Amino acid sequence: MTERLRERDAPLQTLTRFDPGSWELVSTEVRTDTGKWVKSTWRVRADERYWWVVIGLGNALVTVIDVDP
C-alpha cells in the first residue's frame, strides 16, 4: 500500500493516521447478508489537496485517491 501512496505522491504521514474527528465520511459499505461493516471512504484535506481514503476491515488502508483536478 505504501508503494501506491508514493506513486500518487500522497502525504503519507497524514493519510496513514486515521482521524475520524477531522476527516469527512463520504460513504460506508455494509454486507447485506450479514449487516457487517466492510469498508468506509473518507475525504481528507492534506497538502492543500483533497484525498479519498478507503479503510477496510481491521482499519487497513485499502487505497487513496487524489480527488482534486
Side-chain angles (χ1 to χ4, degrees), residues 42-60:
W42 300 80
R43 185 173 175 229
V44 183
R45 179 98 172 139
D47 288 352
E48 299 184 22
R49 297 187 310 203
Y50 282 103
W51 298 85
W52 279 10
V53 178
V54 180
I55 303 198
L57 292 173
N59 291 331

Side-chain angles (χ1 to χ4, degrees), residues 23-66:
W23 292 18
E24 178 186 351
L25 182 63
V26 175
S27 68
T28 61
E29 185 175 317
V30 176
R31 287 184 50 162
T32 57
D33 60 337
T34 64
K36 292 185 179 182
W37 173 85
V38 176
K39 64 182 175 183
S40 57
T41 302
W42 300 80
R43 185 173 175 229
V44 183
R45 179 98 172 139
D47 288 352
E48 299 184 22
R49 297 187 310 203
Y50 282 103
W51 298 85
W52 279 10
V53 178
V54 180
I55 303 198
L57 292 173
N59 291 331
L61 183 62
V62 176
T63 193
V64 297
I65 302 163
D66 183 354

Side-chain angles (χ1 to χ4, degrees), residues 3-24:
E3 182 178 322
R4 180 171 290 163
L5 288 166
R6 286 189 186 99
E7 287 172 1
R8 295 180 177 174
D9 196 27
L12 293 170
Q13 294 294 344
T14 304
L15 300 182
T16 57
R17 202 170 341 153
F18 180 55
D19 184 6
S22 64
W23 292 18
E24 178 186 351

